[in-house]
Amino acid sequence: MRLNCSPVWSVVSLLTLLLLPLWEMGCSGLSFNSVPLPPVGTYQRSCEGGAHHRQRRSWVWNQFFVLEEYTGDEPLYVGKLHSDVDKGEGQVKYVLNGQGATSIFTIDENTGDIHATKRLDREEQAYYTLRAQARYRENNLPVEPESEFVIKVQDINDNEPKFLDGPYSARVPEMSPVGTSVVTVVATDADDPTYGNSARVIYSILEGQPYFSVEPKTGVVKTALPNMDREARDQYLLVIQAKDMVGQMGGLSGTTSVMVTLTDVNDNPPHFSRKSYQFSMSESLPVASVVAKIKTLDSDVGPNAEMEYRIVDGDGLGLFRITPDRDTQEGLVTLQKGLDFETKSSYTLRVEVSNRNIDLRFLSLGPFSDTATVRLIVENVDEPPVFSLPLSKMLISEAAKVGTTIGTVSAHDPDSTNSPIRYSIDRNTDLERFFNIDATTGVISTAKPLDREVNAIHNITIFAMEMDPLQVGKGIILITVTDINDNAPVFAIDYETYLCESARPGQVIETISAIDRDEPQSGHRFFFSLTAEAAGNLNFTLRDNKDNTASVLTMRGGFQRHDQTMYRLPVFIMDGGSPALSSTNTLSIRVCDCDPDGAPQSCGSEASMLSAGLSTGALIAILACILTLLVLVLLIVTMRRRKKEPLILDEERDVRENIVRYDDEGGGEEDTEAFDMVTLRNLKVVRESGGKTRRDVTPEVPTLFLSSRPPPDNGIFRDFIWDRLKETDVDPSAPPYDSLQTYAFEGSGSAAESLSSMDSLSTDSEQNYDYLSDWGPRFKKLADLYGHSGDGNLFGSL
């Protein structure tokens, strides 16, 4: 095949073909005819003739070019394929394969014309590799071997430059010289940088002049003016443009913004807002109090505005100090010593301020410091009394008698009025009231005997007050109680001494020491000896070791427990005080059976009991307490089990002793508050069991009032009560003791009908009251009134 090119390149192709060897002239080939662009490349041809098969490499043009972004209505013509075998008789057809074949590129199988059917974009794909072949139409056999060629998309300027990292922000120090680099902006163009000027970008500044400039080729933004002051303006917004085609007309452009911030440098000196300040302060201010705040101005910020203050002159150099506030950089004047209005009422200071971090480049602008005068006025206040010594130390012997003077405290009024002072003791520091103080003179004396061994140092607070009780001064007094020899020495511990039965004469069985609550200045010195009564014993002796200890030694051997289990040895101890004090202490020595190493094994029953810490008397007391508790428990159980007194009375007891008299008439059956309704609800129950009368049931009494109807039958009530009694006897939940059961049963009807007393007064009543005479002397009066001997009118007889 051959490539059909423009006339110039056709001549070149023709010259190339003329130079081919003559043996190649009979070979067929595939030519490529493209748009007028210089194709490059080679492919391999082969010739077959005679009996030999030879292959030669020769130059061919196998590359097409096509413009991107074609916007025409018809398919874009790319090139033409043609085979030398094709004589134009229609026997050969052309086939196209590879990238974009049939989808993007099509070929006319008759003529070999190649067209692009879609719009191409070089930035998406720069070239396409395809394969072309000529075949016989009849049998589809290849006319020549398949040839490969490339369709390259030619770039056009269809992409504007873009700032991928924009927008930008940059910082540059103020007062920077001209040409100081600020930031570098970079724009990229997606067009082909190897073809034409489509991707060649030129930078320019649209906004931000005359303060800044930009390098056209590199995009470096630089300062264009000197002495740009942050205090005047601290931010600038720049607009940078990037234009392709080397900035020529018709080129595409893109823009970005750059926010430039001027950073601070120390180019402004500090200065006081005023040249003279005046402040007032109370003389009662404590040390380290802030007495004044001085405002200083500095246009710089951050570390460049940090201040340093110092007092350069004045009459308060040692009394005041000035330091900067970390947050506001104000000058804080603090008090170093206490103030006294009566001594000095005002102070004058000359203070200086300067920057802590000075930039040497700007020293020519002037001194970076300033001075001002500060006057401090002391205000008088009513101050509490002041002790001449805030802490006083006094000594007193523990042998001092009550009322002994210990010392004197003194306080004064620091004010000019010099008010009188009264003294008192803070009793919270002297709870047991060991001391007194004279309210006028301040003399301190003892109020109780002192004991150094109980409290060696007394820390008490003394109040000093003026006439105004709110003004109170406080002083501290440490009273140390000195020692006297008033305590005798005693054993250091409670010794438990064991003596083995196998002990030999002269053996040390115990080393004792002593303690003394006194504390002599020269130290303790104790002397040990046996008492006069024990000095002649034949069992033990005592040796003073001259080092405040003594050794107890045996004088014989052969000690036996069954002979004596314990020995008591009185020891006399005397101290070295003046006067010397002594005491007698008893050392208990137990005889024990010991093992070969001398350790006690058994010391007898008494020793066992004593070692447990219980004496015989203590054991007896414990047993007595246990016995007493047992007796109390038995009494409580017996009382809980004791039965109540039976309710059945003997015949000999007079039933009249149980008559209860009621003076309250009540409000009827519904009134349960005035009296006990149980009394009305108890019915007359007569139990035929030996003829004894129940104590809780009144004797059967006929109605005392006349009635025109016969009395009701009590059998209904009797049966009802007996049924309930049987149910209660077999009820497992009923209490085990006698209890009162109350029922409200009234029967089927009341035979007496109305209980009104109006009917009782009728004279035609036939009620018989002769049985009242059988109730004894106490009912004789009623029997006389209502019996046959009476006239039947109760109220008339009364």
Side-chain angles (χ1 to χ4, degrees):
M1 292 185 187
R2 66 175 181 269
L3 172 66
N4 296 329
C5 303
S6 62
V8 176
W9 292 105
S10 299
V11 174
V12 176
S13 301
L14 179 60
L15 292 176
T16 304
L17 293 175
L18 292 176
L19 294 177
L20 292 175
L22 294 176
W23 61 270
E24 289 182 339
M25 296 179 61
C27 297
S28 62
L30 181 64
S31 63
F32 299 84
N33 186 20
S34 67
V35 295
L37 290 174
V40 294
T42 62
Y43 78 102
Q44 189 73 24
R45 297 185 60 194
S46 64
C47 293
E48 297 182 2
H52 299 281
H53 179 269
R54 298 180 62 188
Q55 291 183 353
R56 290 281 185 94
R57 177 176 295 275
S58 60
W59 292 96
V60 297
W61 310 105
N62 60 346
Q63 189 171 19
F64 290 140
F65 289 86
V66 61
L67 289 175
E68 66 171 336
E69 305 295 341
Y70 174 71
T71 58
D73 296 333
E74 298 294 333
L76 178 63
Y77 178 75
V78 178
K80 184 179 181 65
L81 297 179
H82 184 72
S83 176
D84 295 339
V85 180
D86 187 6
K87 305 301 182 179
E89 299 174 351
Q91 296 180 358
V92 177
K93 67 176 182 179
Y94 298 93
V95 179
L96 188 65
N97 296 308
Q99 294 179 338
T102 69
S103 61
I104 299 177
F105 303 100
T106 61
I107 188 170
D108 189 328
E109 64 177 12
N110 295 321
T111 63
D113 293 334
I114 301 174
H115 293 81
T117 61
K118 291 185 178 180
R119 182 177 178 180
L120 301 179
D121 189 354
R122 189 201 66 84
E123 287 71 35
E124 293 183 1
Q125 187 166 348
Y127 62 91
Y128 297 85
T129 302
L130 295 97
R131 297 181 304 278
Q133 191 175 32
R135 293 178 177 270
Y136 289 108
R137 192 179 297 274
E138 294 180 357
N139 51 17
N140 203 30
L141 293 176
V143 175
E144 294 181 2
E146 189 177 53
S147 299
E148 185 178 85
F149 64 98
V150 175
I151 298 178
K152 189 174 182 180
V153 181
Q154 181 186 357
D155 184 45
I156 64 173
N157 189 18
D158 60 340
N159 291 278
E160 73 277 3
K162 294 182 179 179
F163 294 90
L164 302 181
D165 298 329
Y168 296 84
S169 61
R171 300 166 67 88
V172 63
E174 63 174 333
M175 299 294 177
S176 296
V178 175
T180 302
S181 177
V182 179
V183 67
T184 300
V185 295
V186 177
T188 59
D189 196 319
D191 294 326
D192 189 359
T194 63
Y195 179 75
N197 296 326
S198 299
R200 296 181 61 183
V201 177
I202 295 297
Y203 300 94
S204 61
I205 183 167
L206 301 182
E207 294 182 16
Q209 295 174 335
Y211 306 102
F212 298 92
S213 63
V214 61
E215 286 288 339
K217 294 182 179 181
T218 61
V220 176
V221 179
K222 299 180 179 180
T223 58
L225 284 181
N227 301 327
M228 285 191 291
D229 192 0
R230 184 200 65 84
E231 288 73 32
R233 181 179 177 183
D234 61 347
Q235 284 189 335
Y236 296 85
L237 180 62
L238 313 182
V239 177
I240 306 297
Q241 175 184 269
K243 190 174 184 180
D244 58 15
M245 299 300 291
V246 200
Q248 298 176 1
M249 293 293 293
L252 302 180
S253 64
T255 60
T256 187
S257 62
V258 181
M259 179 61 71
V260 180
T261 301
L262 297 184
T263 59
D264 186 56
V265 297
N266 192 6
D267 59 337
N268 294 279
H271 60 277
F272 289 104
S273 59
R274 292 183 295 175
K275 287 299 181 180
S276 178
Y277 299 87
Q278 180 171 318
F279 301 94
S280 298
M281 54 187 176
S282 173
E283 65 171 332
S284 61
L285 284 177
V287 175
S289 298
V290 177
V291 299
K293 291 184 179 181
I294 304 175
K295 182 67 175 177
T296 307
L297 304 178
D298 192 331
S299 301
D300 297 322
V301 294
N304 297 318
E306 292 181 356
M307 309 293 183
E308 285 185 345
Y309 297 88
R310 65 190 184 99
I311 300 175
V312 296
D313 196 7
D315 53 1
L317 295 180
L319 190 62
F320 302 97
R321 179 187 178 190
I322 184 169
T323 56
D325 185 283
R326 291 184 178 181
D327 298 327
T328 64
Q329 296 300 317
E330 293 177 314
L332 305 180
V333 181
T334 56
L335 188 63
Q336 298 296 105
K337 297 179 181 179
L339 299 173
D340 187 5
F341 174 82
E342 287 72 24
T343 303
K344 190 173 180 61
S345 60
S346 66
Y347 298 88
T348 301
L349 306 176
R350 186 166 177 265
V351 298
E352 180 186 68
V353 61
S354 61
N355 279 134
R356 179 174 299 176
N357 305 307
I358 298 178
D359 195 332
L360 300 179
R361 296 176 300 171
F362 305 103
L363 286 178
S364 59
L365 299 179
F368 280 75
S369 63
D370 194 13
T371 58
T373 302
V374 180
R375 189 166 185 266
L376 302 174
I377 307 299
V378 181
E379 295 179 345
N380 187 27
V381 296
D382 188 8
E383 300 174 271
V386 178
F387 282 89
S388 56
L389 292 175
L391 177 62
S392 301
K393 297 182 180 180
M394 301 179 182
L395 299 177
I396 184 66
S397 174
E398 64 176 327
K401 297 180 180 180
V402 174
T404 301
T405 299
I406 303 174
T408 303
V409 294
S410 176
H412 68 280
D413 183 6
D415 298 321
S416 57
T417 56
N418 196 17
S419 302
I421 307 298
R422 296 186 62 83
Y423 303 93
S424 63
I425 296 177
D426 182 2
R427 291 305 176 182
N428 292 324
T429 60
D430 185 26
L431 296 176
E432 299 185 16
R433 297 179 177 269
F434 284 110
F435 307 98
N436 287 329
I437 187 171
D438 189 281
T440 304
T441 63
V443 175
I444 300 175
S445 59
T446 58
K448 287 183 179 180
L450 303 176
D451 189 353
R452 189 204 64 84
E453 287 71 34
V454 176
N455 193 353
I457 298 178
H458 297 266
N459 186 346
I460 62 176
T461 300
I462 304 298
F463 291 148
M465 294 175 290
E466 302 177 11
M467 298 302 294
D468 183 4
L470 298 179
Q471 300 297 332
V472 179
K474 294 183 180 180
I476 305 298
I477 299 180
L478 295 180
I479 301 177
T480 302
V481 182
T482 59
D483 186 42
I484 63 172
N485 191 24
D486 58 345
N487 291 278
V490 296
F491 277 158
I493 60 173
D494 292 334
Y495 291 98
E496 294 184 358
T497 305
Y498 300 97
L499 174 63
C500 295
E501 292 180 326
S502 59
R504 299 183 304 275
Q507 180 177 341
V508 177
I509 61 174
E510 187 68 85
T511 299
I512 59 177
S513 61
I515 57 173
D516 193 333
R517 297 178 62 189
D518 297 322
E519 292 184 359
Q521 296 181 354
S522 59
H524 290 291
R525 179 67 180 94
F526 301 121
F527 303 92
F528 299 87
S529 64
L530 295 178
T531 61
E533 296 81 4
N537 79 91
L538 302 178
N539 298 318
F540 306 98
T541 185
L542 185 70
R543 181 180 65 200
D544 193 337
N545 296 327
K546 308 299 182 182
D547 59 355
N548 291 338
T549 65
S551 300
V552 180
L553 300 87
T554 59
M555 298 183 62
R556 66 178 181 88
F559 291 94
Q560 299 293 328
R561 285 180 297 166
H562 61 271
D563 294 337
Q564 186 172 349
T565 60
M566 179 177 290
Y567 294 88
R568 302 185 184 277
L569 184 65
V571 179
F572 179 80
I573 307 175
M574 183 176 63
D575 61 20
S578 178
L581 298 179
S582 62
S583 66
T584 300
N585 300 264
T586 302
L587 180 68
S588 298
I589 304 173
R590 297 188 181 90
V591 181
C592 303
D593 180 23
C594 301
D595 59 12
D597 296 331
Q601 298 294 321
S602 176
C603 298
S605 59
E606 181 180 0
S608 300
M609 184 179 300
L610 292 176
S611 63
L614 296 176
S615 62
T616 304
L619 292 175
I620 293 175
I622 292 174
L623 292 176
C625 292
I626 295 174
L627 183 61
T628 303
L629 291 175
L630 291 176
V631 171
L632 289 175
V633 171
L634 291 176
L635 287 176
I636 293 173
V637 172
T638 302
M639 293 180 65
R640 294 173 71 94
R641 292 183 177 180
R642 188 179 65 178
K643 295 182 179 180
K644 294 182 179 180
E645 182 180 357
L647 298 176
I648 306 300
L649 300 176
D650 295 334
E651 292 180 354
E652 292 78 13
R653 298 186 65 179
D654 192 353
V655 72
R656 291 172 298 176
E657 295 177 357
N658 297 305
I659 294 178
V660 180
R661 301 184 181 185
Y662 298 95
D663 295 331
D664 189 355
E665 294 183 359
E669 276 189 73
E670 294 181 0
D671 185 3
T672 59
E673 300 295 334
F675 56 88
D676 189 6
M677 292 295 296
V678 176
T679 306
L680 296 179
R681 292 174 179 172
N682 278 335
L683 300 178
K684 299 183 287 292
V685 179
V686 179
R687 188 173 182 180
E688 298 177 358
S689 55
K692 293 186 178 182
T693 309
R694 283 185 59 118
R695 189 176 179 184
D696 61 339
V697 179
T698 57
E700 182 178 355
V701 182
T703 178
L704 299 178
F705 302 101
L706 298 178
S707 176
S708 60
R709 294 173 179 259
D713 185 9
N714 292 332
I716 299 175
F717 299 101
R718 185 182 299 109
D719 294 340
F720 173 78
I721 293 175
W722 280 116
D723 292 341
R724 296 295 181 268
L725 180 60
K726 291 178 182 179
E727 292 177 1
T728 305
D729 290 340
V730 298
D731 187 3
S733 61
Y737 48 82
D738 293 343
S739 62
L740 179 64
Q741 302 292 329
T742 304
Y743 304 101
F745 180 68
E746 296 183 358
S748 58
S750 176
E753 293 184 348
S754 175
L755 297 179
S756 174
S757 60
M758 298 298 294
D759 197 20
S760 301
L761 298 177
S762 59
T763 56
D764 57 350
S765 175
E766 297 179 358
Q767 180 68 36
N768 185 8
Y769 295 100
D770 292 339
Y771 60 86
L772 293 176
S773 59
D774 298 334
W775 283 15
R778 294 186 179 182
F779 293 91
K780 186 175 184 303
K781 183 63 174 177
L782 291 176
D784 295 339
L785 293 174
Y786 287 93
H788 293 295
S789 58
D791 56 4
N793 193 335
L794 175 60
F795 296 100
S797 301
L798 294 176

